[in-house]
């Protein structure tokens, strides 16, 4: 039986150009959804810049290892030459003794009759030192550079001349209560830090006679303190040892004023100093080293420095020295904190310069990352975080190149070679990443300026912080200006080509 015709029409197949309402709604929702937030990308770039500080720390550890190795070599070579020498001019050493009972009685404020005991029979001994009223010491150094492997050490040979005038009429007046000075065993002493540096006998002219000094029989050495505020009796007190050389003092030398003069030749390394051994001390140190550094307890009253060397003079009056005219071993030890010193500075030390440049590594890695981020936002091409890591590693390797090359050529040439290689690499990588020779040239100009700024910071020691702060401010200003119209949330969904 035939079916009646129906009014319903069968569904016609959908054409390729027709979409459902649900699909249209999904597409509309997709247009309103943030596609890629550049704000989050900037936060990621900043985090990666900080992350690059970790490999930079490993490079810093390598730098410290090389620097410590250089210090050990300098110490080894310096010790063979006599080390950092310190010289003491003529002083008189007198052995003394006193009863322990007198020592105990002198420590009681009120007069009390001491009880008889065995302590009164004990004898305390020591050495009493008498400093000259006037003294002068002249040092003339002839320096050179010794090498071991890659490392350089400044060494010298010093001609030391002494002169002193003693007033012995009141010698021993300040000795401890009850002390008996044994003048028959008294000696005239001079001192030096390391006897291995002696290049000749130490000779003195005492009054009208000549004497050759030998190691002292009274006190062969004394520990000098380098910190006047620390008790020498403390086990932690910083100190250095001074070897003493002497000759017996004749009884005829005690009459009135005593004139003493002498000469010695010593070698040493890196630093030379003299002690203000007299009530009023005049000192002069000169040499052919072109880069001296004056330090110690007093700065020179006159100094001249030229390419041919240096010439410095000191004058230390009795009041400034702050040590009595005579005293025990503690008074002699305190002279160490008032030394008059010159250090032989090596200006081409690459480790100091590389260390300073590494301190700025996080800032400059961040600036290079910001430059790539600007290129990314202005060109519309995307840079993957892995690519930022490669750029950061290239900058870290720059410091390894700088350290390894500077050890052989010096900092200036090392920086030029390492910076040229690094700037060429990351500039070429910018051209490859953005597929644009123009972007590569822009990167070359920007990074050349940036690494030139690093070199300027290394050379402007007094203005390094100011220049670094201004450069950072300028970089932030540039980023803020070029991204002023950027859609940080990515709501507009501007198309960007991902080439990573």
């Amino acid at each position: 039986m035939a079916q009646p015709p129906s009014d319903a029409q069968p569904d016609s197949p959908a054409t390729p150009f027709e979409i459902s309402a649900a699909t249209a709604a999904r597409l509309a929702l997709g247009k309103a959804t943030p596609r890629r937030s550049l704000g989050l990308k900037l936060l990621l770039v900043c985090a990666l810049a900080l992350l690059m500080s970790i490999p930079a720390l490993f490079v810093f550890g390598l730098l410290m290892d090389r620097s410590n190795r250089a210090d050990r070599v300098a110490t080894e070579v310096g010790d063979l030459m006599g080390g950092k020498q310190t010289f003491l001019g003529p002083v008189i050493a007198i052995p003394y003794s006193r009863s322990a009972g007198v020592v105990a009685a002198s420590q009681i404020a009120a007069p009390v009759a001491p009880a008889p005991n065995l302590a009164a029979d004990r004898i305390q001994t020591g050495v009493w030192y008498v400093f000259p009223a006037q003294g002068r010491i002249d040092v003339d150094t002839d320096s050179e550079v010794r090498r071991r492997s890659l490392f350089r050490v400044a060494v010298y040979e010093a001609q030391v001349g002494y002169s002193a005038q003693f007033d012995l009429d009141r010698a021993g007046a300040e000795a401890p209560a009850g002390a008996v000075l044994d003048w028959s065993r008294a000696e005239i002493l001079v001192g030096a830090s390391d006897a291995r540096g002696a290049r000749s006998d130490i000779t003195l002219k005492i009054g009208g006679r000549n004497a050759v000094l030998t190691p002292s029989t009274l006190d062969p050495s004394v520990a000098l303190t380098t910190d006047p505020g620390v008790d020498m009796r403390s086990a932690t007190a910083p100190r250095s040892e001074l070897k003493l050389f002497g000759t017996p003092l004749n009884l005829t030398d005690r009459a009135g004023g005593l004139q003493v003069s002498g000469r010695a030749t010593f070698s040493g390394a890196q630093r030379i100093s003299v002690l203000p051994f007299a009530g009023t001390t005049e000192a002069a140190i000169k040499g052919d080293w072109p880069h001296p550094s004056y330090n110690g307890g007093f700065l020179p009253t006159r100094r001249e420095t030229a390419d041919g060397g240096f010439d410095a003079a000191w004058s230390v009056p009795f009041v400034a020295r702050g040590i009595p005219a005579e005293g025990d071993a503690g008074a002699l030890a305190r002279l160490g904190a008032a030394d008059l010193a010159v250090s032989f500075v090596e200006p081409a030390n690459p480790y100091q310069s590389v260390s300073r440049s590494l301190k700025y590594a996080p800032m400059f890695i961040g600036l290079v990352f910001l430059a790539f981020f600007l290129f990314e936002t202005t060109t519309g091409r995307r840079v993957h975080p892995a690519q930022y890591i490669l750029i950061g590693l290239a900058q870290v390797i720059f410091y390894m190149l700088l350290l390894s090359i500077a050890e052989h050529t010096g900092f200036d040439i090392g920086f030029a070679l390492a910076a040229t290689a690094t700037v060429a690499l990351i500039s070429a990588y910018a051209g490859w990443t953005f597929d644009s020779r123009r972007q590569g040239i822009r990167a070359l100009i920007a990074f050349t300026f940036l690494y030139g700024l690093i070199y300027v910071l290394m050379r402007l020691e007094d203005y390094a912080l100011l220049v670094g702060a201004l450069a950072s401010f300028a970089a932030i200003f540039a980023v803020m200006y070029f991204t002023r119209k950027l859609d940080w949330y990515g709501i507009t969904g501007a198309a960007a080509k991902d080439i990573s």
Side-chain angles (χ1 to χ4, degrees):
M1 181 174 182
Q3 297 290 333
S6 174
D7 294 336
Q9 300 293 329
D11 293 338
S12 60
T15 65
F17 303 101
E18 294 179 349
I19 58 176
S20 66
T23 302
R26 286 196 301 269
L27 291 177
L29 180 61
K31 291 182 179 180
T33 302
R35 298 181 60 184
R36 288 184 177 179
S37 171
L38 289 176
L40 293 177
K41 183 64 173 290
L42 179 60
L43 293 178
L44 177 61
V45 169
C46 293
L48 290 175
L50 293 177
L51 186 65
M52 287 297 102
S53 299
I54 297 177
L57 289 177
F58 287 105
V59 178
F60 188 79
L62 177 62
L63 170 65
M64 289 296 98
D65 179 71
R66 301 296 292 177
S67 180
N68 292 335
R69 171 60 179 160
D71 291 340
R72 289 195 300 270
V73 169
T75 301
E76 292 171 2
V77 176
D79 287 345
L80 295 175
M81 294 294 296
K84 300 177 181 180
Q85 291 283 15
T86 299
F87 298 104
L88 171 70
V91 299
I92 294 178
I94 313 163
Y96 71 89
S97 60
R98 61 172 176 165
S99 171
V102 175
V103 176
S106 64
Q107 296 174 351
I108 300 175
V112 178
N117 52 43
L118 296 177
D121 297 329
R122 292 201 302 267
I123 300 298
Q124 181 191 58
T125 61
V127 179
W128 193 251
Y129 295 92
V130 177
F131 301 106
Q134 303 286 334
R136 180 173 181 83
I137 184 167
D138 294 279
V139 182
D140 190 356
T141 62
D142 183 13
S143 57
E144 61 175 311
V145 175
R146 295 286 179 91
R147 293 178 179 270
R148 177 181 289 183
S149 184
L150 299 174
F151 309 111
R152 297 158 46 98
V153 184
V155 301
Y156 58 83
E157 185 173 285
Q159 305 290 333
V160 186
Y162 314 95
S163 63
Q165 180 177 354
F166 291 89
D167 183 6
L168 300 180
D169 291 337
R170 287 181 45 82
E174 301 179 17
V180 178
L181 302 182
D182 186 0
W183 284 94
S184 64
R185 296 170 52 209
E187 292 183 354
I188 294 183
L189 305 178
V190 299
S193 297
D194 196 333
R196 292 178 299 175
R199 293 295 177 263
S200 67
D201 290 332
I202 305 174
T203 59
L204 287 183
K205 184 176 182 181
I206 307 170
R209 64 185 178 90
N210 294 323
V212 178
L213 275 61
T214 58
S216 173
T217 58
L218 294 178
D219 203 351
S221 65
V222 63
L224 299 176
T225 178
T226 57
D227 188 348
V230 177
D231 188 352
M232 276 299 296
R233 294 170 295 182
S234 172
T236 60
R239 62 190 71 196
S240 61
E241 188 175 2
L242 186 73
K243 302 293 185 181
L244 299 178
F245 311 92
T247 186
L249 181 68
N250 295 338
L251 294 179
T252 56
D253 296 332
R254 292 184 54 191
L258 177 63
Q259 298 282 347
V260 179
S261 61
R263 297 196 64 81
T265 302
F266 277 82
S267 64
Q270 298 181 301
R271 186 179 188 265
I272 188 169
S273 62
V274 299
L275 302 177
F277 63 97
T280 298
T281 304
E282 302 287 337
I285 304 177
K286 63 180 180 179
D288 57 356
W289 188 259
H291 308 287
S293 175
Y294 305 104
N295 48 71
F298 297 90
L299 292 177
T301 55
R302 177 187 60 81
R303 59 183 178 182
E304 298 176 1
T305 304
D307 292 338
F310 67 94
D311 188 353
W314 289 260
S315 179
V316 182
F318 178 75
V319 175
R321 191 181 73 152
I323 297 174
E326 53 186 71
D328 57 8
L332 187 63
R334 289 198 299 273
L335 290 177
D339 62 339
L340 319 173
V342 178
S343 295
F344 295 77
V345 177
E346 178 60 65
N349 185 349
Y351 305 107
Q352 294 179 355
S353 299
V354 176
S355 176
R356 291 185 59 224
S357 65
L358 265 172
K359 294 175 182 178
Y360 292 94
M363 182 182 75
F364 284 101
I365 292 175
L367 291 178
V368 172
F369 279 15
L370 283 178
F372 267 85
F373 180 76
L374 284 179
F375 296 155
E376 181 178 352
T377 57
T378 54
T379 61
R381 289 177 174 266
R382 309 290 289 181
V383 180
H384 195 274
Q387 294 174 292
Y388 279 101
I389 293 177
L390 291 176
I391 297 166
L393 290 177
Q395 292 180 269
V396 172
I397 293 175
F398 158 76
Y399 294 100
M400 294 182 61
L401 286 173
L402 175 59
L403 174 61
S404 59
I405 299 175
E407 284 187 327
H408 296 271
T409 65
F411 179 77
D412 293 337
I413 298 177
F415 187 92
L417 295 177
T420 299
T422 305
V423 169
L425 176 61
I426 59 179
S427 299
Y429 192 66
W432 300 332
T433 300
F434 299 106
D435 197 19
S436 170
R437 181 177 300 177
R438 180 181 178 184
Q439 291 298 331
I441 295 175
R442 289 173 60 187
L444 178 64
I445 296 173
F447 299 148
T448 299
F449 172 79
L450 188 61
Y451 277 78
L453 179 62
I454 298 177
Y455 183 80
V456 171
L457 288 178
M458 297 305 100
R459 288 293 173 256
L460 296 178
E461 295 184 4
D462 295 335
Y463 298 95
L465 179 60
L466 176 62
V467 173
L470 292 177
S472 301
F473 180 83
I476 293 300
F477 172 80
V479 173
M480 295 173 69
Y481 177 80
F482 287 111
T483 61
R484 64 192 184 278
K485 297 181 179 180
L486 192 66
D487 178 20
W488 291 104
Y489 289 102
I491 293 179
T492 58
K497 182 180 179 181
D498 193 331
I499 63 170
S500 59

